[in-house]
Amino acid sequence: MPTGDQPLNDQTLTDQEIAPVKSGSTLLIACGALAHEILALKKLNGWDHLALRCLPAKLHLFPEKITSEVARVVNEERENFNSIFVVYADCGTGGQLAAYCAEQGIEMVRGPHCYAFYEGVDAFAAHDDEITAFYLTDFLVRQFDAFVIKPMGLDRHPQLRDAYFGNYTKLVYQAQTDDPALTEKARACAERLGLAFERRLTGYGDLIRELSRA
Amino acid sequence: MADDEDIILSELSDDELVLQMQDDLYDGMKEEIEEAVEILLERGWAPYDILTKALVAGMTIVGHDFRDGILFVPEVLLAAGAMKGGMAILKPLLAETGAPRMGKMVIGTVKGDIHDIGKNLVGMMMEGAGFEIIDLGINNPVEDYLDALKREDADILGMSALLTTTMPYMKVVIDTMVQEGIRNDYIVLVGGAPLNEEFGKAIGADAYCRDAAVAVETAKELVARRHNQH
Ligand code: B12
C-alpha cells in the first residue's frame, strides 16, 4: 500500500488505499478524493495530531460498500490511535455510514456529499435552483477520465452521453484552489459533456470547520 | 463476442436464435435484436412470447449480473437500449394480439433528483411484464404524481430516488396521499440505490424493491392480492 508520506498521485488516490502517516493521535479515515485537500489543510493549520488513511475514491461508484470498508479500517486501526474521525459525508450510503459512526461513537463529516460541504452544507440545502447542474471538484477535474468518462463507458460508447447527461444544463466547477490550468481542464470537461460551464471558487468550504473538530 | 460477424441470425433455429438474442442483448447490440425480433415475427411467433422468452429473459440475466457486480452502468444502459429497440417493434402488436394486461403504473424520479437510469429500467421491465407505464420523468413534485394517478386511473405508484437528500421526499408524497384519503387506492413501490427495506416501511410504502426483477414480482403479487380483496 502506498503511504501518505509519499507525494500523492491522483491515479493512486482513485484506485488504491493510502496508509496513514504514522504521526498523529487522531486517525482520519478519508475518501481518496479528499487527500490533497486534507493534507493542505493539515499543513496550513499545523494539525500535527492528525494522521491520514485513505480509501480509494472509486468506492463512490459502489456506495453500498463504503460503510463496510470504513468499518474494516476502523477495526484495523482502532488500537493504534486515540480517536478516529471519518472524512466522508453520507455519500449515498442512505444514512448507513452515519448510523455506523453513531453506534461506534465516531465523528464524521456532516452533509450529503462533498459538493454540498465545499459550498457549505446549509447554503447548498437552502437552494433548489441547481438540480440540473453537474459538479466537479479539483480532484474530479484532474481525475475526470478515470472517475467519469471510463466508469460511465463514455470512452468506449460516446453515444451514451445523452443518456447520462441529457437532463443536465451546466457543469459547475467548485474550485478548491485557484489554478488556471485546472480551470481550463474543467472547461474542456464541460464541453465534452455538452454542458455550459461555470466556475466557483469555493475553497475548502465546511471541510475546514469539520476537520477542526477532529 | 468475437465470432458474432459469422452468425447469420435467419439461419438459426428458434431455440438457437432466442439464446443468441439473449447474448446480443447482454452485449447491447440493438440492430441485431431488432433483426431477430423481425425474424421471429415472420416465423409466426406471438409478440408476447418474443417479449418474454427472448427480451425479458435476456434482460433478467443483465439485471442479475448488474446486481452481482459483473456488469456496471454503461453495459446496463446499452442492453436497455437494445431491448427498447425490440420493444418498439413489439409494442403496437402486443395490444392487437391480446397480451395479458396486469395493471397501470405511474413512475417517476422525485423532486430534486434527476437520476433516471434505474427508473427507466424498472419502467421497461414492468412494461415487459404486461404493465402499462406512465413515465413522468425526473424531478417530480407531489402534484405531478397525484394528478397522474387520478387522471390515468392507475393501480401503482412507483417513485425513484438516488440521492440521500431526495429520498425523504417520498414521504411527502405518501403523507399527502394519506391526507387526501387516497393512500389505500394505490400500491406504492419505492426504489433507488440508497434506499432499503426499513426506509420503505418507515415512510409507509407498500414495498421497497432492490431491483427491476423484484419490482415486477412484487407488483404482480400485490396486484393479485388486491384483486382477491375486492
Ligand atoms: C450513474 C450515476 C450518475 C449519472 C446519472 C445519469 C442519469 N441519467 O441518471 C450522472 C453521472 C449524471 C450523475 C450525476 C449526479 N450524481 Co450520481 N450516481 C450515479 C451512480 C454511479 C449509478 C446510478 C445508476 O444509474 N445506477 C444504475 C441503475 C440501474 O441502478 P439504480 O439506479 O440503483 O436502480 C435500480 C434499483 O435501485 C431499483 N430502482 C431504482 N428506482 C426505482 C424505482 C422503483 C419504483 C422501484 C420499484 C425500483 C427502483 O431498480 C433499478 C434497476 O435494477 C450512483 C452510485 C450508485 N452506484 O448507485 C451515483 C450517485 C447516486 N450520484 C451521486 C451524486 C452525488 C450525483 C451528483 C450530485 C454528482 C455531481 N457531481 O454533481 C449528480 C446529481 C445531480 C442531480 N440533481 O440529480 C451520489 C449520491 C450521494 C448522496 N449523498 O446521495 C452517488 C451515490 C455516488 C456517490 N457515492 O457519490 N450520477
Side-chain angles (χ1 to χ4, degrees), chain A residues 90 96 131 151-152 157 164 167, chain B residues 74 78 112 114 116 139 164 196:
Chain A
D90 175 78
Q96 304 234 355
I131 43 179
M152 295 303 129
H157 311 287
Y164 289 113
N167 291 319
Chain B
L78 289 170
I114 68 174
D116 63 0
N139 191 25
T164 341
N196 56 38

Side-chain angles (χ1 to χ4, degrees), chain A residues 61-62 90 92 94 96 112 131-132 151-153 156-157 159-160 163-164 167-168, chain B residues 72-75 77-78 111-114 116-117 138-139 163-165 167 194 196:
Chain A
L61 299 170
F62 311 97
D90 175 78
Q96 304 234 355
I131 43 179
T132 60
M152 295 303 129
R156 291 154 284 146
H157 311 287
Q159 78 277 16
L160 291 180
Y164 289 113
N167 291 319
Y168 289 76
Chain B
F72 195 50
V73 183
E75 290 81 19
L77 263 180
L78 289 170
K111 191 173 156 192
D113 204 327
I114 68 174
D116 63 0
I117 297 171
I138 52 168
N139 191 25
L163 296 167
T164 341
T165 46
M167 293 161 53
N196 56 38

Side-chain angles (χ1 to χ4, degrees), chain B residues 86-158:
Chain B
M87 277 180 76
I89 303 171
L90 295 174
K91 218 169 148 182
L93 307 173
L94 285 166
E96 292 167 20
T97 49
R101 302 189 54 159
M102 307 293 299
K104 208 182 223 187
M105 180 190 214
V106 165
I107 191 169
T109 304
V110 299
K111 191 173 156 192
D113 204 327
I114 68 174
H115 288 89
D116 63 0
I117 297 171
K119 184 262 300 163
N120 294 345
L121 198 63
V122 171
M124 200 169 76
M125 292 301 274
M126 291 288 293
E127 205 165 7
F131 288 87
E132 192 181 335
I133 295 297
I134 311 295
D135 188 344
L136 303 181
I138 52 168
N139 191 25
N140 285 285
V142 56
E143 314 80 75
D144 291 10
Y145 286 119
L146 299 197
D147 289 351
L149 286 174
K150 293 172 199 161
R151 183 180 68 235
E152 301 288 344
D153 191 21
D155 307 289
I156 306 173
L157 169 63

Side-chain angles (χ1 to χ4, degrees), chain A residues 30-170:
Chain A
C31 171
L34 302 173
H36 288 291
E37 291 68 23
I38 292 169
L39 292 176
L41 286 172
K42 181 174 141 99
K43 198 168 162 198
L44 204 70
N45 294 288
W47 288 332
D48 293 333
H49 63 295
L50 299 181
L52 176 63
R53 178 159 167 186
C54 288
L55 287 166
K58 275 221 173 122
L59 269 183
H60 270 82
L61 299 170
F62 311 97
E64 70 281 4
K65 295 183 184 158
I66 292 177
T67 306
S68 59
E69 279 297 280
V70 168
R72 177 179 62 81
V73 175
V74 168
N75 290 334
E76 282 173 23
E77 301 278 10
R78 188 160 244 162
E79 303 270 280
N80 306 330
F81 294 90
N82 294 337
S83 68
I84 289 179
F85 188 94
V86 170
V87 199
Y88 272 93
D90 175 78
C91 301
T93 63
Q96 304 234 355
L97 184 58
Y100 167 78
C101 287
E103 180 195 298
Q104 299 289 320
I106 295 172
E107 294 283 334
M108 68 181 273
V109 171
R110 198 170 71 91
H113 41 61
C114 54
Y115 321 105
F117 67 63
Y118 280 139
E119 178 175 325
V121 170
D122 296 324
F124 189 89
H127 65 86
D128 60 1
D129 55 343
E130 257 190 1
I131 43 179
T132 60
F134 183 66
Y135 297 99
L136 293 183
T137 60
D138 283 6
F139 178 81
L140 285 175
V141 170
R142 287 193 304 263
Q143 284 303 95
F144 186 68
D145 279 347
F147 220 91
V148 180
I149 296 296
K150 285 212 184 85
M152 295 303 129
L154 291 170
D155 49 344
R156 291 154 284 146
H157 311 287
Q159 78 277 16
L160 291 180
R161 186 181 83 173
D162 289 347
Y164 289 113
F165 291 98
N167 291 319
Y168 289 76
T169 53
K170 65 175 172 184

